[in-house]
Amino acid sequence: MPPSAPHPRPATGTPEVPVVDISATGPGSTPIQQVMGLMREHGPVLVRRLHGRDTLFVADLGLVTDLADDARFAKHIGPALENVREFAADGLFTAYNDEPNWAKAHDILMPAFALGSMRTYHPVMLTVARRLVDHWDRAARAGQPVNVPDDMTRMTLDTIGLAGFGYDFGSFARDEPHPFVASMVRCLEWSMTRLARTPGQDHTAADAAFRADAAHLARVVDDVIASRTGTDQRAARDLLGLMLTAEHPADGTTLDAANIRNQVITFLIAGHETTSGAMSFALYYLAKHPAVLQLVQREVDELWGDQADPEPTYDEVGRLTYTRQVLNEALRLWPTAAAFSRHALEDTLLGGRVPLRAGQGVTVLAPMLHRQPVWGDNPELFDPSRFTAEAEAARPVHAFKPFGTGERACIGRQFALHEATMLLAMLVHRYRLHDHAGYRLTVKETLT
């Protein structure tokens, strides 16, 4: 970008923007929760300094609204996503804005999330949901508790594998999670902990382990692609079918083999890990709030009556409005994609008061944005009535950001919400959730 007027001073060292140096302690294993604590102490705009590297975090609604202006700001690939690029390269989530494969893949894959495609995914989602129900039925008969986060991860991985790529991970036939999941989690942990490295330390072993995990992800994805190679893909309108055959509407080009691998890795990770977290939080809150659970039960029982094994239709899922409110409220309190970053396209004043240089990144901390005064005087309270149609219409559009913003927002949003709403309703209809151990919420962070 050519130089313009002299750069404004960075947003550090001003009364408006406190600087908090965490170099002495580091970010620990829960950096998002650490910044949430800092914001509770210092306010919704701050600079976190770590070993001389400054990161501007914001949760102020006015500033986030400003950042959502695509004429002035764009997605920022900061240090965390730079690390993810080591194994996802130019996939949709980690591509730079000007990388040609981003726009090409986005245009080619958009039809995979249109209404017609969503209807074709529904039976696959239902098939996998039944696997989970069978798994929980066996546990119930044996008088055994279930591990909700592990089982949600099994369900969402099998769903994206089958619906998106025609590939069955068979997660419920395993005692342990699929090896892909273990490698994925370690890759994400490496991406996060690499940010907090103390200069001068030796990380050779950690980097070697990461390369082995990244290679395993690539091998699994190559198997997924190979299972479809050589067959007629023209009738397959799922994600992989489009990747292998669809031509860009403008120039007729297709995705190259390397980018297809990057996109499959991206969708397998982004298409399951965040959704499983959202489901886990929603079930946690239902177990802790019997009155809310009763309202969900009433909604699903009105829809399916005393059917022990209902066959939810696509349209029925759309009528589960209160169940969807529960999911949204869980996403408000603990959005599983907890932060996103934007950068200024040219020198500017954010919100008319915070100077930014062209290219300077700003990280939006969604959990604290979702606890701002616009949410009322008790934002920590779990209250699905915040998401009635009337409440949503009265609230500023940028107050709720669990899926990012702008043209780089989550392409699979409707896929995830449909899958999660249906499963939540099926589980509440079939089971009476019981928090048998008085569980206290602990939130693990990798990059989600």
Side-chain angles (χ1 to χ4, degrees):
M1 184 174 292
S4 55
H7 289 320
R9 292 171 62 88
T12 57
T14 66
E16 177 97 35
V17 184
V19 178
V20 185
D21 194 327
I22 64 163
S23 301
T25 61
S29 61
T30 54
I32 291 290
Q33 290 164 83
Q34 182 193 58
V35 179
M36 290 173 71
L38 295 177
M39 283 189 165
R40 288 186 173 105
E41 181 180 355
H42 299 283
V45 187
L46 60 83
V47 168
R48 186 194 69 180
R49 180 166 293 163
L50 176 62
H51 304 310
R53 186 174 69 239
D54 287 355
T55 305
L56 175 59
F57 286 92
V58 303
D60 174 89
L61 175 58
L63 299 188
V64 174
T65 299
D66 207 24
L67 287 168
D69 181 355
D70 284 324
R72 296 173 54 220
F73 299 94
K75 175 165 180 168
H76 183 65
I77 304 296
L81 291 190
E82 291 278 4
N83 292 340
V84 179
R85 281 181 63 91
E86 295 288 328
F87 57 95
D90 61 351
L92 279 180
F93 185 57
T94 45
Y96 297 116
N97 296 302
D98 57 358
E99 282 185 305
N101 275 335
W102 176 78
K104 180 190 290 189
H106 187 268
D107 292 346
I108 285 174
L109 294 174
M110 278 295 287
F113 296 100
L115 178 60
S117 295
M118 289 299 303
R119 287 185 178 276
T120 67
Y121 299 144
H122 175 82
V124 180
M125 293 178 179
L126 183 55
T127 295
V128 179
R130 292 195 186 289
R131 292 181 182 180
L132 173 64
V133 167
D134 289 344
H135 180 70
W136 279 20
D137 279 359
R138 288 192 295 273
R141 286 193 296 268
Q144 296 294 320
V146 293
N147 184 319
V148 170
D150 279 2
D151 288 345
M152 294 304 109
T153 299
R154 286 183 171 93
M155 188 276 303
T156 53
L157 178 65
D158 284 8
T159 299
I160 188 63
L162 279 168
F165 308 105
Y167 186 88
D168 194 348
F169 283 93
S171 299
F172 287 102
R174 301 170 175 269
D175 291 332
E176 298 296 324
H178 192 284
F180 179 90
V181 174
S183 290
M184 175 207 73
V185 169
R186 288 192 296 265
C187 283
L188 291 172
E189 286 176 335
W190 176 87
S191 300
M192 185 178 78
T193 56
R194 194 184 192 202
L195 296 173
R197 288 180 176 179
T198 302
Q201 289 184 344
D202 182 10
H203 300 283
T204 306
D207 290 345
F210 161 74
R211 286 192 294 273
D213 281 320
H216 178 71
L217 294 184
R219 284 194 299 273
V220 171
V221 168
D222 287 345
D223 286 346
V224 171
I225 296 171
S227 71
R228 293 277 285 272
T229 303
T231 60
D232 186 358
Q233 301 298 313
R234 285 168 294 184
R237 302 307 291 171
D238 63 2
L239 286 168
L240 187 53
L242 288 170
M243 290 181 197
L244 291 170
T245 65
E247 298 177 351
H248 191 275
D251 59 18
T253 58
T254 57
L255 300 180
D256 61 64
N259 187 250
I260 290 173
R261 175 199 267 182
N262 296 335
Q263 302 299 356
V264 175
I265 289 175
T266 297
F267 276 102
L268 284 177
I269 295 174
H272 96 273
E273 208 268 350
T274 48
T275 310
S276 66
M279 282 293 305
S280 301
F281 283 118
L283 286 164
Y284 162 79
Y285 283 114
L286 287 179
K288 293 294 190 182
H289 293 81
V292 173
L293 176 58
Q294 192 172 22
L295 290 174
V296 177
Q297 288 169 344
R298 182 185 303 169
E299 178 172 77
V300 299
D301 290 349
E302 285 177 357
L303 194 60
W304 297 322
D306 57 2
Q307 298 178 60
D309 195 19
E311 285 272 345
T313 67
Y314 180 87
D315 291 327
E316 282 177 338
V317 175
R319 295 203 289 271
L320 294 165
T321 54
Y322 189 75
T323 307
R324 173 70 171 272
Q325 287 173 224
V326 167
L327 189 62
N328 280 342
E329 178 68 346
L331 281 168
R332 179 186 72 84
L333 285 166
W334 290 107
T336 46
F340 62 91
S341 295
R342 306 275 281 172
H343 67 235
L345 296 175
E346 55 189 47
D347 296 351
T348 191
L349 284 174
L350 176 62
R353 66 183 196 270
V354 180
L356 294 178
R357 302 181 306 278
Q360 183 178 346
V362 183
T363 297
V364 175
L365 199 68
M368 292 306 289
L369 170 67
H370 297 167
R371 287 165 168 79
Q372 292 302 295
V374 68
W375 294 96
D377 58 6
N378 195 351
E380 295 289 349
L381 178 69
F382 179 77
D383 180 8
S385 70
R386 301 179 201 272
F387 287 94
T388 63
E390 296 77 15
E392 288 199 89
R395 195 163 45 241
V397 66
H398 297 295
F400 186 53
K401 288 290 185 185
F403 296 98
T405 196
E407 64 178 5
R408 297 295 299 269
C410 175
I411 193 174
R413 173 179 183 165
Q414 295 307 322
F415 183 102
L417 289 171
H418 185 87
E419 171 188 14
T421 302
M422 180 175 70
L423 183 68
L424 200 59
M426 290 176 68
L427 295 180
V428 167
H429 181 69
R430 188 170 186 83
Y431 306 107
R432 293 299 174 254
L433 305 176
H434 176 53
D435 176 24
H436 67 291
Y439 177 74
R440 294 186 64 183
L441 183 65
T442 57
V443 181
K444 178 182 178 179
E445 297 182 27
T446 52
L447 274 183
T448 54

